[in-house]
Structure formats: structure tokens, C-alpha cells
Amino acid sequence: MDKPRRITDSFPRRRRRGPGRPPGRLKDKKDKDKVQVKVRDCPRAPSQPPTDPALLEMLRRFDLSWEYGPCTGITRLQRWERAQELGLSPPGPIRDALLEH
């Protein structure tokens, strides 16, 4: 009687890479000399002022407060606006901080 076929029989086997074998390894030593790393001269982004710890604490309290409804799947600003529409009176400084950043 024939052995039952498996779905994996119709796909070619692939060799797994080991931890000591990086992907795309060059075979010849000559080829290593030809490869050069190109570094683009990118203008640096303007440095941002350090974030105020009090602001971060205020945002954390807003995120963890169930008073303003669930926060899954929406942004902080959307949550603030929804709470405002429902008359839950969310803190005004939160909205100002969200619009500023």
C-alpha cells in the first residue's frame, strides 16, 4: 500500500540558516574589497526640547483613567474629543499638549 502524501511533499525543502551564518555572505575574499558602505550625508533633524516630566505624568493619568471612556483603537486626541462631546469634561491642558506636540 502506498504511503499517504503530505502537503509538505509538494514544496521544495529549504536549508535553514544557522546562527553563525549571516544572510548574504560573500563567498570570495576579492568581492569583499569591492563592497563599500555608502553613507549619505543627511541633515540632522532639529533637536527636540526635553519632554516635561509633569506633562508625561498628566498624559499617563489621562491614558489610565476610565473616567473618559475606553482608549483602545483611537488616538489620545480622539479620546479627548469624544469625552468632551459626551460632557465628561476632560482636562484642557491635555488637549493643548496634544495639539502642541
Side-chain angles (χ1 to χ4, degrees):
M1 195 168 198
D2 290 335
K3 205 163 76 163
R5 291 193 54 167
R6 297 181 181 158
I7 192 166
T8 55
D9 294 339
S10 59
F11 295 103
R13 291 189 178 191
R14 298 187 73 189
R15 184 188 229 182
R16 292 186 182 191
R17 297 182 193 269
R21 189 172 173 188
R25 188 171 71 181
L26 297 174
K27 293 183 180 181
D28 294 336
K29 201 171 193 181
K30 294 181 255 177
D31 293 338
K32 287 184 181 179
D33 297 335
K34 294 179 184 177
V35 176
Q36 295 178 357
V37 178
K38 295 182 180 180
V39 179
R40 287 189 275 166
D41 293 328
C42 297
R44 291 189 171 207
S47 61
Q48 296 179 354
T51 310
D52 183 22
L55 173 64
L56 292 177
E57 178 66 22
M58 186 171 53
L59 289 172
R60 187 183 70 80
R61 286 179 186 234
F62 178 72
D63 289 343
L64 296 177
S65 175
W66 283 98
E67 181 182 348
Y68 308 112
C71 58
T72 306
I74 61 174
T75 64
R76 284 174 171 162
L77 186 59
Q78 290 172 336
R79 185 172 182 235
W80 190 94
E81 290 171 347
R82 183 188 61 197
Q84 182 68 28
E85 289 172 4
L86 294 174
L88 300 175
S89 62
I94 296 284
R95 183 174 188 272
D96 298 337
L98 295 175
L99 291 175
E100 181 182 334
H101 295 287

